[in-house]
Each structure stands twice: as structure tokens, then as C-alpha cells.
């Protein structure tokens, strides 16, 4: 295994570093697999014109490096004369056009063991100090790295992460987090090159690191046999095919975050049914529970930037959800009753009601009767909500 290190030379009077290095260290063991058996040896070094801000593994054994305003592709190659000598080569011209490329991420490691990993687009995202997030695509046949989409909002990003090839997570310096979506299959070029904001949320803390993963093992949570874990690619397919009316917790991506205040948290991707359920629970809790100091939950979690603010969307407040289990039983009952009265906690029931409304007038009476009977069978109880909240709590 190898460890790649980026450095910079900081000289007094310089606005930004003009020189840096990329150092490759090889880690080897003697077979005992202990901390004292590991040996680190420098095997390659490359001088670059600028500070190395971020390094990310990329496809085919290469790495992506952000150097000041540039994004470069590097590859470790062997020397033709000496077998034990390695050299780090910069491939192609890279990409130029950012103000300062602070961060770079890709899903190359996730696709390393996938059978169709070689057929996927070689994508990466770059976080700029002023120009938010851009999507880069590498063309191996031309050895070029091009920008294929970007977020046109002005966000000073502090952390970024790729959840899927088309969904990205970002944090900015006003203690907000946001989610972006790419539309690669749109027939219009203007839509394909623009990243849509699908979620905004005020976390209240300055995030400086995202990391894929969880603090618990995948098999260690979920007391209910109905709880299942879905991959990010299969979440939408399972939601559309599922005919099971029981409560299930469908989990997709799992991302950890760390803040400068010292806290560690988790961002969990939910399928459509779970998102619908917890959205209804959040609305019911906000309506039933009187906030301290009359501070509205929506105002607290609304996105607040330098120039504008907007309501929170696309995210569920996990801290609020977990507080449900600490409430008085009478308050729990009121919240569940509010969810049942609203009737929007089950996405499948909502879709069924829409389809029934489009039927002919002759079938209106029978369809309404069937829907009312189905809703009666699917009334929530406090235990149902507690089970979902506890399973979500144990998922991180």
C-alpha cells in the first residue's frame, strides 16, 4: 500500500504558495501485522508549481490532485531502467479554471471491486473556495479532464463528498450543508451542465470533513426484522417495486461529518418511503411541541447565506427525530394522532390516492370505499413510530 502526501512551501509576502511537492510513501510489513512491523519508505517525489490542497484516489490506479487553481491527474509508473524505482508522472494538461481548488473527491475506491466498474464514467467533484462544486470527467482516450457540470451558486465550500455518480453533498462557511443533483440524461445541454440544489439545511456548526462510512457495523442495528439496508443505486428501484405495507427503514448512503467545534455526526440517505415517514413525523412534532422561547424549528434549520435565506428542504432533522423517544407518552400519542389525521406518512398510500382520483366517475364510490378501508388498516401506533425512530438511531 502507498501513502500520498501533498506539501507546500510558504514564503512571507506570498498570497499563495508557488511551490509544493507530491510525495509517495510505500508501507510494508514483515508479516506479523503489528504497529511495530510496518515500515514506511519514500519511493517517489514530484515538484509542482503551487500548493497541494487535496488528493483523491482515481480510476486505474491514478490519483487526482488539486494544486492552487488546477486539477491534475497523476500516475505512479515504474522506471524502464531500474525495477525498484518508481516515478510519479502528471498525465495530460489537467483542468484549469477555478479560483482555488480546495477539495477533490471521487468514487473510484467504491467501484474498484464492481464488475462493471470499468464501464462507468470516470467522474470526480472539485470544491472551489468561491465557485461551489464542479463535476469533472476524465476521457482516457484523449487524456483530458473536462468540466461537465457545476453549481452556479456562490458557495465557499469547506467539505464535499460524492454520494453517487449524480448526487453530491457539500458544506459551506455559513454552517449550512446542501445536496446537489446532476441531470446527465436531459436532452437539453443547459440542464446537463447545471447542478440542481435538491436539499439545504442549517447544521449550525462549521463542517470541515465528510467521510463515507458509519460508526456502527451494518449488521449491528435494526431490532426489527423488517428493517433493511439498500444500496444507493437500488433504493429507487426497491421503493417502486415494494408492495409490502409494513414499516421498513431503507438506508442508502452513509456519511460521517466532523466540525471545528469538535462534534461528529452522521448523514444517512433514506429511500422514498422512509423519507416520507420521517417528514410527516417532523411536521407533526413541530406542530404539537411548543418550542423553547417560541423559536420555530423551521426558522432554526432554514438555510442562511451571505445574501439570501431559504427554508430547509431535502433533509430531516435527526436530532429532533431521536427526541421523540424521550417525550411523555401523552405527547407521543398526540404526535401519532396528528400524523394519522394528516395521512401523509405513507408514500404508497399517497400514490394510491392520486391514481384513484384519475379513474372514471363510475368507479369513484368503490375506489373511495377501498381506500378508506385500507387507511383504517394502516393507522399508525406509538409503537410503530418508536420502532422506526429507534432503528434510525441505531443505524449510525
Amino acid at each position: 500500500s502507498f501513502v500520498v502526501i501533498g506539501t507546500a512551501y510558504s514564503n512571507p509576502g506570498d498570497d499563495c504558495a508557488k511551490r509544493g511537492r507530491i510525495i509517495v510513501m510505500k508501507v510494508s510489513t514483515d508479516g506479523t501485522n503489528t504497529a511495530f512491523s510496518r515500515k514506511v519508505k519514500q519511493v517517489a517525489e514530484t515538484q509542482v508549481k503551487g500548493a497541494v490542497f487535496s488528493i483523491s484516489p482515481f480510476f486505474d490506479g491514478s490519483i487526482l490532485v488539486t494544486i492552487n487553481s488546477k486539477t491534475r491527474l497523476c500516475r505512479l509508473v515504474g522506471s524502464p531502467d531500474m525495477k525498484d524505482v518508481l516515478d510519479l508522472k502528471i498525465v495530460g494538461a489537467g483542468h484549469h479554471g477555478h479560483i482555488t481548488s480546495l477539495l477533490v473527491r471521487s468514487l473510484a475506491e467504491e467501484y474498484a471491486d464492481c464488475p462493471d466498474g470499468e464501464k462507468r464514467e470516470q467522474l470526480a467533484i472539485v470544491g472551489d473556495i468561491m465557485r461551489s462544486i464542479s463535476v469533472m470527467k476524465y476521457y482516457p482516450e484523449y487524456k483530458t479532464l473536462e468540466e461537465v457540470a457545476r453549481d452556479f451558486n456562490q458557495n465557499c465550500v469547506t467539505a464535499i463528498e460524492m454520494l453517487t455518480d449524480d448526487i453530491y453533498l457539500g458544506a459551506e462557511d455559513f454552517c449550512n450543508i446542501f445536496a446537489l443533483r446532476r441531470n446527465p440524461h436531459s436532452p437539453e445541454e443547459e440542464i446537463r451542465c447545471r447542478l440542481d440544489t435538491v436539499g439545504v439545511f442549517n447544521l449550525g456548526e462549521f463542517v470541515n470533513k465528510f467521510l463515507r462510512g458509519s460508526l456502527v457495523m451494518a449488521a449491528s442495528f435494526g431490532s426489527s426484522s423488517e428493517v433493511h439496508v439498500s444500496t444507493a443505486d437500488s433504493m429507487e428501484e426497491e421503493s417502486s417495486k415494494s408492495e409490502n405495507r409494513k414499516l421498513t427503514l431503507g438506508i442508502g448512503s452513509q456519511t460521517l461529518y466532523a466540525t471545528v467545534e469538535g462534534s461528529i455526526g452522521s448523514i444517512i440517505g433514506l429511500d422514498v418511503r422512509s423519507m416520507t415517514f420521517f417528514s410527516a413525523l417532523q411536521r407533526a412534532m413541530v406542530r404539537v411541541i411548543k418550542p423553547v422561547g417560541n423559536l420555530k424549528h423551521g426558522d432554526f434549520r432554514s438555510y442562511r447565506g451571505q445574501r439570501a435565506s431559504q427554508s430547509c428542504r431535502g433533509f430531516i432533522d435527526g436530532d429532533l427525530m431521536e427526541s421523540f423517544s424521550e417525550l411523555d407518552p401523552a405527547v407521543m400519542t398526540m404526535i401519532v394522532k396528528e400524523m394519522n389525521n394528516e395521512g401523509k406518512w405513507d408514500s404508497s398510500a399517497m400514490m394510491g390516492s392520486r391514481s384513484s382520483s384519475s379513474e372514471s366517475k363510475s368507479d369513484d364510490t368503490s375506489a373511495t370505499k377501498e381506500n378508506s378501508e385500507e387507511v383504517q388498516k394502516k393507522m399508525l401506533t406509538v409503537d410503530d413510530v418508536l420502532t422506526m425512530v429507534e432503528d434510525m438511531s441505531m443505524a449510525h
Side-chain angles (χ1 to χ4, degrees), residues 79-361:
S79 174
D81 301 327
M82 295 177 285
K83 296 181 180 181
D84 297 334
V85 178
L86 299 175
D87 192 13
L88 188 66
K89 295 290 186 180
I90 297 178
V91 181
H95 179 268
H96 308 254
H98 290 92
I99 298 175
T100 301
S101 303
L102 292 179
L103 305 157
V104 60
R105 292 290 183 273
S106 76
L107 290 174
E109 289 183 307
E110 300 293 320
Y111 296 146
D113 298 329
C114 295
D116 60 341
E118 297 180 356
K119 301 179 181 179
R120 290 181 177 268
E121 293 181 297
Q122 297 189 14
L123 300 174
I125 59 174
V126 176
D128 188 81
I129 193 172
M130 293 295 291
R131 299 180 62 189
S132 192
I133 294 177
S134 302
V135 182
M136 302 293 166
K137 182 177 179 180
Y138 180 68
Y139 297 89
E141 60 273 22
Y142 305 111
K143 295 183 179 180
T144 58
L145 192 66
E146 293 186 0
E147 180 181 285
V148 294
R150 63 180 293 255
D151 177 24
F152 288 90
N153 295 310
Q154 186 176 350
N155 291 319
C156 179
V157 295
T158 59
I160 61 173
E161 190 58 80
M162 288 187 72
L163 305 184
T164 68
D165 281 343
D166 302 323
I167 303 293
Y168 319 116
L169 188 65
E172 45 96 86
D173 59 343
F174 279 85
C175 302
N176 302 302
I177 59 176
F178 57 94
L180 302 173
R181 179 178 61 198
R182 185 171 72 109
N183 302 287
H185 305 297
S186 174
E188 300 181 17
E189 176 66 24
E190 182 181 355
I191 298 179
R192 290 198 301 269
C193 69
R194 184 183 67 238
L195 297 180
D196 296 330
T197 303
V198 294
V200 291
F201 185 83
N202 180 260
L203 187 65
E205 296 187 52
F206 191 99
V207 178
N208 62 351
K209 181 65 176 179
F210 283 129
L211 180 66
R212 288 190 295 271
S214 175
L215 295 177
V216 297
M217 297 180 64
S220 64
F221 70 89
S223 57
S224 171
S225 60
E226 299 298 331
V227 177
H228 66 281
V229 179
S230 307
T231 61
D233 293 335
S234 65
M235 282 171 56
E236 183 176 354
E237 180 180 355
E238 290 182 358
S239 298
S240 60
K241 291 183 179 180
S242 178
E243 296 295 336
N244 186 9
R245 300 305 186 193
K246 296 182 180 180
L247 290 176
T248 58
L249 178 62
I251 295 177
S253 62
Q254 293 179 278
T255 307
L256 298 173
Y257 66 83
T259 69
V260 297
E261 286 82 3
S263 63
I264 298 176
S266 178
I267 300 175
I268 302 175
L270 301 175
D271 63 2
V272 176
R273 299 185 70 182
S274 300
M275 185 69 179
T276 303
F277 175 87
F278 285 112
S279 296
L281 176 58
Q282 180 171 271
R283 291 192 299 270
M285 293 183 68
V286 170
R287 285 194 292 262
V288 172
I289 301 175
K290 186 177 180 180
V292 177
N294 202 26
L295 176 62
K296 295 181 180 180
H297 177 268
D299 294 339
F300 170 60
R301 291 303 187 186
S302 62
Y303 179 95
R304 295 183 292 275
Q306 184 176 3
R307 298 182 179 179
S309 62
Q310 54 182 305
S311 300
C312 167
R313 57 188 172 92
F315 287 90
I316 300 296
D317 190 346
D319 292 336
L320 180 64
M321 298 298 97
E322 293 183 0
S323 67
F324 178 84
S325 59
E326 302 174 359
L327 298 175
D328 186 80
V331 180
M332 290 184 185
T333 303
M334 294 174 62
I335 293 173
V336 175
K337 183 179 179 181
E338 182 70 23
M339 294 177 67
N340 287 324
N341 291 338
E342 184 187 41
K344 295 182 179 180
W345 58 269
D346 191 347
S347 60
S348 59
M350 294 171 61
M351 293 176 62
S353 63
R354 292 172 185 170
S355 62
S356 64
S357 64
S358 62
E359 295 177 352
S360 60
K361 292 183 179 180

Side-chain angles (χ1 to χ4, degrees), residues 6-20:
T7 68
Y9 294 96
S10 179
N11 298 321
D14 291 343
D15 294 333
C16 58
K18 297 181 180 180
R19 292 193 305 135

